[in-house]
Each structure stands twice: as structure tokens, then as C-alpha cells.
Amino acid sequence: MIPLFATRAAVEPLLEQILERQRAVVQSGRYILGPEVEAFEGAFATYLGRRHCIGVANGTDALTIALRALGIGPHDEVVVPALSFFATAEAVVNAGAVPVFADIDPDTHCLSAETAAPAIGERTKAIVPVHLFGNVAPMGELNELAAEEGIAVLEDAAQAAGASLEGRMAGSFGDAAAFSFYPSKNLAALGDGGAIVTDDDDVAEAARRLRNHGTVAPWVHEQAGYNSRLDELQAAALGVMLPHLDDWTGRRRRVAREYREAGLGELVKLPAETAGAEAAYHLFVVTTPRRDELAGALATTGIESRPYFTTPLHRQPGMAIHARDPMPSAERLAAEGLALPMGPALDRESVEAVVDEVRRSLAT
Ligand SMILES: Cc1ncc(COP(=O)(O)O)c(C=O)c1O
């Protein structure tokens, strides 16, 4: 049996340390917005090279709150890639704005300036590049495009903790960035969690206010916000894990290299890193027109694989009123993409077994 995610084995050695920190939280009786959240926010901001980090309840709220903190609201349009997890577009709707879909680059699976530009119009207020599967969108050209258009950039870095582009961490490029600590993520809580990072004092202040019912002083609520705080128990666990993220990312990159070295690229299309990027390989998604057949064959030999986002955002029933023209690259990835086993604890033997099985099943 080769699991799709082998994250648990990497976290196992830290379990005692995590439980010790969480025991101290339980004994302190302080569960919401206490010292663990503050410490983690400081550590994560420093790790990313950002001035502010605001811990929230999950990655979806991180996106929604960040959009609102950036001043996005009713009647504003926000450009999002046509292929991502639903939350990327959902957050735009929940912030009161209108998602406008743009196609992805067929190789990197992310928005590029070329694919985003046609979706920008008079009402566009922001673009949300998604660092899909742990790759990093080409932030240089996207920031340039946004500057020309006078619009904001919110990075959806939910899948990209630990990734970098030209030496800068994913999440450090946009006006703000949103992270998810959902349990399957590269930096994972033991439940839900998320964070917003930014260098802008006003955006940070607005996000802090919004995550806590719009509170500006005891019992004074300046606006309707959310009950969306990262909690102390999750922050304690994340605080233990963060120092290990670079090691885990390195191991994921080693697995990606081993897939390439074992000749997987001769059998299926491999994911391409954006020029200058060191992807964090949250998922290792290959593309083949024989996707469903391949997934079936792998399952019979105990190798887990999974198609991701098989319905692109512009074809989701919940986005029907925002539907757009065909998006060929997004549709192709939805129809042909397959995530193969990936994780910091995956060994070379397993990688080679996966490649052998892909070779065998596609040989006929
Ligand atoms: C690209 C992307 N954006 C947003 C989210 C939302 O994060 P969460 O599940 O923590 O709400 C996720 C993950 O679930 C994601 O993969």
C-alpha cells in the first residue's frame, strides 16, 4: 500500500512535543487569542519575510477576510484562475464581489500575466493567483500587470507553504496572502486553521478586526466581521511543526526529483515549476488522456492516486451565474490530471514502484 499523502509519518516524531505544548495550553485555560497564537503569528511572519501575520480559523476565511481587508466589496470584480479548490472563488462571492475566471498556464497550472490579462475589466479590483499544487505563480509578471492596472494582488498560498520563487517565499509577493493549515497541507494543523500575511499596516489592522467580529474596543464593533480565530491548541501544534517545514519541503522536492529520474516523464506529462521557482509539491499532479484508466490500474496494486478538481470553477453549479467561456487548459487539467503519492516520508523504493506500475499500466 502506497498512500497518496505520507504526511503522518513525518509528524509522528514530533507528537510528544506537540502534546506537551498543548497540555500547557489546556492547563493555562486560555484557548482563544493567547500567547501561542501570538508566537506562531510572529514566527510565520518572520519565516515568510512579512511584517504581519493574522491567524484565522481556516484558509477560506483567510481569503474572504483578506479580500475585505483589501477593500474589495459589492460590485467589484476579482480575477481568479478557473482551476483551483472551490474556496478561491467562494471567498470572492462571500466578500460580496464577483469572481471572473481566467485560464491557467498549461505547464505551470497557475495564472500568468497572459492568461489573467483578458479577464481584467473596468470593475476589476484584484487578482488572486493560486500557487496550485505547491508551485508558485509567476509573481513578477503578475505584480507588474496589477501595478499597471492599479489593482490589488492576493496570493492564494493555501497549497504552497514552504515554496519559493527567486529566493523569496510564496506568500511574500502580493498585497496580502492567504494560507490554509488544513490537515493535508504541507504545514498542517490537527484540525482547521489559516493565516493572512501582509506588509501593509492598514490591511493587517482591518484583518485583525474582521476576524474578531469587527471589534475595535471592548463591546464596540465597527463593522460586521467573523468569528474566525486560529485557536491556541492549533497554534501550539503549528509552532512545533514550523521549524521542520523546510526539511519536509526538501524531502518533497527529493521525491519529485526521483519521479523524474525514474523516467515518469516518458509516460505522462509532468508538472513544470515556474521559472525561478522551488515548488513545495503539495501534490504531484501528472497529466494523461488515460487518467481514469491509470487511476484504476494503480488502485488494483495498492497505490493511491486521486484526480483533483475534476470540475473547473467556471463550470461549478455554485458558480453558474458567473460562468464564462471555455477555459481549455483548466478543462484539460480537470479531465486529465492525476495526483500521485507525494509526501516527506515517501521513500525511493515506493517512488520507483509507482513509476513501474504507471509504465506497466500504460504499456498496453
Ligand atoms: C487553493 C486553496 N485555496 C483555499 C483553500 C481553503 O482552505 P481551507 O480548507 O483551510 O478553508 C484550499 C484548501 O482547502 C486550497 O487548496
Side-chain angles (χ1 to χ4, degrees):
M1 164 80 191
I2 303 178
L4 185 60
F5 298 108
T7 35
R8 183 90 183 276
V11 174
E12 205 78 35
L14 304 177
L15 203 54
E16 280 313 310
Q17 224 183 317
I18 291 169
L19 291 174
E20 206 176 296
R21 285 269 282 269
Q22 291 189 321
R23 171 189 286 272
V25 171
V26 173
Q27 283 171 336
S28 78
R30 178 108 190 241
Y31 304 133
I32 306 284
L33 295 184
E36 285 288 4
V37 169
E38 204 174 310
F40 174 72
E41 288 176 340
F44 198 48
T46 303
Y47 173 77
L48 297 171
R50 281 293 213 184
R51 292 190 57 222
H52 304 282
C53 171
I54 301 97
V56 295
N58 53 67
T60 309
D61 285 1
L63 287 166
T64 311
I65 291 172
L67 286 166
R68 286 189 60 190
L70 287 165
I72 312 296
H75 312 299
D76 294 338
E77 290 185 354
V78 177
V79 175
V80 300
L83 202 95
S84 180
F85 180 56
F86 188 66
T88 309
E90 185 181 35
V92 175
V93 175
N94 287 341
V98 179
V100 177
F101 301 106
D103 207 358
I104 53 170
D105 177 88
D107 298 320
T108 66
H109 303 154
C110 296
L111 280 187
S112 66
E114 190 187 334
T115 67
I120 295 176
E122 287 206 336
R123 283 161 55 190
T124 307
K125 288 286 162 53
I127 54 174
V128 184
V130 177
H131 303 316
L132 199 68
F133 306 144
N135 194 11
V136 188
M139 293 310 302
E141 63 184 50
L142 287 166
N143 275 350
E144 225 170 83
L145 174 68
E148 274 165 26
E149 300 285 346
I151 59 179
V153 177
L154 170 61
E155 298 172 73
D156 181 339
Q159 301 190 353
S164 63
L165 178 68
E166 273 148 19
R168 274 175 68 182
M169 302 309 292
S172 71
F173 293 91
D175 296 287
F179 284 87
S180 163
F181 306 124
Y182 181 82
S184 63
K185 297 291 193 272
N186 290 24
L187 178 62
L190 310 175
D192 277 314
I196 298 155
V197 295
T198 181
D199 292 333
D200 185 311
D201 295 349
D202 296 335
V203 172
E205 197 188 316
R208 273 183 207 289
R209 197 165 62 227
L210 283 164
R211 78 168 167 184
N212 196 24
H213 304 285
T215 307
V216 286
W219 310 122
V220 182
H221 307 276
E222 194 177 272
Q223 65 194 128
Y226 306 86
N227 175 354
S228 183
R229 287 115 13 165
L230 181 66
D231 70 60
E232 286 286 288
L233 284 168
Q234 298 303 344
L238 290 165
V240 173
M241 290 187 224
L242 180 59
H244 300 271
L245 179 59
D246 283 344
D247 172 43
W248 295 338
T249 305
R251 294 205 246 159
R252 286 172 180 275
R253 293 185 55 74
R254 189 255 308 148
V255 172
R257 198 166 52 243
E258 288 172 355
Y259 270 129
R260 291 174 208 281
E261 286 168 2
L264 187 61
E266 296 148 24
L267 310 167
V268 290
K269 184 175 178 218
L270 298 179
E273 295 185 10
T274 296
E278 297 219 340
Y281 290 102
H282 171 55
L283 295 168
F284 193 81
V285 176
V286 300
T287 322
T288 167
R290 296 169 69 188
R291 189 262 309 275
D292 295 337
E293 181 193 339
L294 176 59
L298 293 176
T300 60
T301 59
I303 297 171
E304 270 187 0
S305 67
R306 192 179 300 162
Y308 268 78
F309 314 138
T310 51
T311 303
L313 295 179
H314 65 295
R315 297 210 181 282
Q316 288 290 348
M319 290 291 151
I321 57 164
H322 308 297
R324 294 264 301 184
D325 312 332
M327 304 269 159
S329 298
E331 277 160 44
R332 173 141 185 238
L333 187 56
E336 299 187 356
L338 185 68
L340 297 180
M342 169 51 79
L346 200 67
D347 58 25
R348 186 172 196 122
E349 219 175 37
S350 303
V351 170
E352 284 170 359
V354 173
V355 177
D356 285 348
E357 214 35 62
V358 173
R359 185 172 287 117
R360 199 193 333 263
S361 62
L362 294 181
T364 50

